[in-house]
Amino acid sequence: MNATAYLNAISKLDTYKRYGKVLRVVGIMIESKGPAANIGEVCYIHPASQRETPIIAEVVGFHEERIILMPYEEVIEIGSGCLVEATGKPLSIKIGRGLIGNVINALGKPLNGKALQKGLMSYLTDQSPPNPMQRPPITNALQVGIKIIDGLLTVGEGQRIGIFAGSGVGKSTLLGMIARNSEADINVIALIGERGREVREFIEKDLGEEGLKKSIVVVATSDQPALMRIKGADTATAISEYFRDQGYRVNLLMDSVTRVAMARREVGLATGEPPTTKGYTPSVFATLPKLLERTGTNSNGTITAFYTVLVDGDDMNEPIADTVRGILDGHFIMDRKLAERGQYPAINILQSISRVMQQVTGENHQQAAKQIRNLLATFEENRELIQIGAYKRGTDQEIDRAMDYYPKIVSFLKQGISDYYSLEESIHLMKNLLHGGARK
C-alpha cells in the first residue's frame, strides 16, 4: 500500500465522536435526543454508575426527531441523561476457522469459557441475499445419515427445509442427529429463544463431542432481550455465509424461526407498528423472507438450512408456519400421533415434501420412494376399517398389499438416536423392503 492510499484513507476518517442523551425508557425501548445515527447502527450507552463497559444498543426507529434504541442487554443501569455515543457502524462479529468448536452469543462472545483465537476477521451480521441469477441450481444430494430423510425426503446441497412440529415431538433430537451424521463440512447451530437448561443438554446430549468438533453454536436464550434473539439468527446466518464464501458445504440448523418472529413482533410493537395477523406486525412478514433467502447456494459453496417452526397447538396453518412454508424448498411435518406410537423420528411422510428430490436422485430411487409412499397412503386411508375388523382380506388387492408391507415400512421409518445409515444403505434398504417380499 503506497503513501497516497494511506493519505486517502486518513482523509476519509471521521475523527469526531457524536453524543446524545437518554430522555426516557419505556419497556424495552430507549428514547434519546441525538446523536446523528441511522437505522441499524450500533450505539454505546454510558451508564452513570461505575460500570466499565458501555451498554450496546441498536437504532431501530425515530419518533419526533428522537432516536429509538433497543439494548442488547437489560436496561437496569440506564437513567435519564445517560450519554449515548454513535459508532457509525452496524453490528459486526469476529469470524474465522478459529470459531469452530465454540459456543458463542449473538454478539460473537464465547459462552463456553474458551478464548477466541487471534486472527479472526470482522464481518457484518446483516448481509443481503445472493443475486438470484448467481445461484447455481441444486444438483447434488446431501447425505444426512437418517434413512427416512435420505430415502424418502432426499435433501439437496443448498436446499432450505422447514421442520414443523409442536412442543416435545423431537425437533431438537432430530437436529442433533442431522448435525452428527451429515456429510457437510461445518455445522452452524442457532439456538434462539431456548430455555437456558436446554442449551447445555442439547450440546452435550444431542450434539455430542464429535458433533461439536465441526460445529459453531450460537445461543440467544429466552430470557435475553428481543434484539439479542433477532441478532442470534442474523449472526448464525452471517457465519454460514462466511464459510459458504470460502467454498465449504455448510449446514445451518436454526431452532426456532418462530421465536425469531416473536422477537421481531416485540420490537415492532415497541416502535409503534400496528398488530395485524394474530398480533404479528407487518415487519415480521417483511423480514422473514430476507433472513431465509440469505441461505442456499452461491457460486462458491452451499448453505443447507434446516429451520424448525414451533406450531401452536399443532396447527400447521398458523401465520408464521404458513409464511415459512411458502418461502422454503420443502417441509418435514413432525406428527405427535406418530411420536405417541413410538415412531422416531416422528416425521409424517405423507404430509412432508422435499421440493428438490427429483433433481438430486436417480430414477430407481424415485420409483422406490413412490411405491413406499403409495403403500403407506393406502394403509392410512383404510386404517380405521382395518383396526375395527370391518375390512375382509381379498376385497381389494391394493389394501391387502399395503397391509402386508405396513410392518416393514414402519420398521424402516424408525431409527435410533445413535444409529447412522449412509445414503446408499438407505436406498438399499428401501429396495430390499419392496423386492424382498411381503411379511410372511
Side-chain angles (χ1 to χ4, degrees):
M1 201 171 181
N2 57 34
T4 307
Y6 278 114
L7 290 170
N8 288 337
I10 291 168
S11 67
K12 292 176 183 176
L13 281 175
D14 185 357
T15 55
Y16 288 95
K17 283 192 175 181
R18 291 170 171 80
Y19 291 94
K21 67 175 183 178
V22 172
L23 295 178
R24 68 172 186 155
V25 177
V26 182
I28 59 173
M29 180 184 72
I30 301 165
E31 274 192 23
S32 77
K33 186 175 182 181
N38 301 318
I39 292 284
E41 189 174 316
V42 171
C43 291
Y44 294 140
I45 302 174
H46 298 272
S49 64
Q50 297 301 312
R51 178 185 172 120
E52 292 181 6
T53 55
I55 293 166
I56 305 172
E58 184 176 305
V59 180
V60 295
F62 302 96
H63 177 66
E64 294 180 354
E65 298 185 7
R66 295 176 181 177
I67 291 176
I68 299 173
L69 298 152
M70 290 278 179
Y72 287 112
E73 49 193 295
E74 295 302 326
V75 297
I76 52 174
E77 295 180 320
I78 297 174
S80 179
C82 287
L83 281 180
V84 180
E85 178 190 343
T87 64
K89 299 174 183 176
L91 182 69
S92 62
I93 58 167
K94 296 291 185 181
I95 297 183
R97 282 197 58 84
L99 267 187
I100 299 172
N102 274 284
V103 181
I104 61 174
N105 68 8
L107 305 179
K109 308 296 183 187
L111 293 176
N112 56 350
K114 292 183 180 179
L116 295 182
Q117 291 184 14
K118 293 181 179 178
L120 303 180
M121 65 171 287
S122 290
Y123 197 83
L124 291 176
T125 60
D126 195 8
Q127 302 281 339
S128 297
N131 183 329
M133 293 305 293
Q134 292 176 358
R135 285 187 185 268
I138 298 168
T139 54
N140 298 323
L142 179 77
Q143 175 183 294
V144 297
I146 302 169
K147 54 186 178 176
I148 187 172
I149 296 175
D150 285 339
L152 299 170
L153 298 163
T154 314
V155 174
E157 287 180 14
Q159 186 176 357
R160 298 159 306 147
I161 291 286
I163 300 173
F164 294 74
S167 56
V169 187
K171 299 185 303 298
S172 298
T173 304
L174 181 62
L175 286 185
M177 290 174 71
I178 293 170
R180 289 195 312 272
N181 298 340
S182 167
E183 61 179 356
D185 303 317
I186 294 170
N187 296 313
V188 180
I189 302 166
L191 302 178
I192 310 298
E194 288 290 311
R195 291 181 284 273
R197 174 187 63 80
E198 291 182 328
V199 172
R200 188 165 177 179
E201 280 186 11
F202 175 83
I203 292 167
E204 293 181 359
K205 181 183 170 187
D206 296 329
L207 185 59
E209 191 178 336
E210 286 302 309
L212 187 59
K213 283 180 182 177
K214 67 168 189 174
S215 301
I216 300 164
V217 184
V218 181
V219 176
T221 51
S222 58
D223 61 296
Q224 292 181 321
L227 207 56
M228 280 290 268
R229 283 173 270 147
I230 294 167
K231 286 301 169 186
D234 288 337
T235 296
T237 307
I239 294 169
S240 305
E241 289 168 323
Y242 169 82
F243 284 107
R244 175 180 64 186
D245 291 343
Q246 302 297 313
Y248 290 98
R249 294 177 301 170
V250 184
N251 271 356
L252 172 62
L253 304 104
M254 189 177 293
D255 186 14
S256 71
V257 75
T258 308
R259 293 193 175 109
V260 178
M262 288 176 174
R264 284 276 180 198
R265 176 174 63 184
E266 279 184 50
V267 172
L269 291 172
T271 53
E273 280 191 78
T276 53
T277 314
K278 276 202 172 179
Y280 287 99
T281 55
S283 63
V284 173
F285 302 102
T287 54
L288 268 180
K290 185 183 176 186
L291 175 68
L292 303 180
E293 284 290 344
R294 285 170 63 182
T295 54
T297 61
N298 76 358
S299 53
N300 299 314
T302 61
I303 301 173
T304 308
F306 298 87
Y307 299 99
T308 69
V309 181
L310 185 63
V311 291
D312 295 331
D314 296 332
D315 175 15
M316 298 299 166
N317 295 314
E318 58 96 26
I320 298 302
D322 207 36
T323 302
V324 171
R325 189 166 51 237
I327 298 167
L328 300 180
D329 309 316
H331 51 270
F332 302 162
I333 304 294
M334 300 194 74
D335 194 329
R336 194 176 299 278
K337 289 180 181 177
L338 296 179
E340 288 167 354
R341 290 181 206 160
Q343 181 180 315
Y344 291 100
I347 298 174
N348 188 321
I349 288 298
L350 301 178
Q351 293 180 19
S352 305
I353 189 168
S354 169
R355 292 179 183 168
V356 304
M357 183 173 175
Q358 301 291 325
Q359 300 162 218
V360 298
T361 54
E363 184 65 30
N364 290 338
H365 182 176
Q366 292 171 26
Q367 287 301 321
K370 187 177 179 182
Q371 286 182 56
I372 290 173
R373 274 180 175 270
N374 287 342
L375 289 166
L376 194 57
T378 302
F379 185 89
E380 290 297 340
E381 284 170 11
N382 298 278
R383 174 183 284 275
E384 289 186 9
L385 291 174
I386 295 166
Q387 285 182 332
I388 64 174
Y391 174 77
K392 293 183 179 179
R393 275 186 175 272
T395 307
D396 187 300
Q397 191 175 355
E398 282 298 310
I399 298 175
D400 290 347
R401 189 163 177 264
M403 288 173 65
D404 290 335
Y405 277 95
Y406 182 72
K408 278 189 163 188
I409 293 171
V410 171
S411 178
F412 172 79
L413 298 180
K414 291 180 180 179
Q415 182 169 332
I417 294 171
S418 57
D419 294 344
Y420 167 81
Y421 294 87
S422 69
L423 180 61
E424 291 73 20
E425 285 176 320
S426 299
I427 297 169
H428 181 69
L429 286 170
M430 286 167 62
K431 291 178 179 176
N432 270 2
L433 186 160
L434 292 167
H435 305 301
R439 186 184 62 165
K440 301 296 182 186

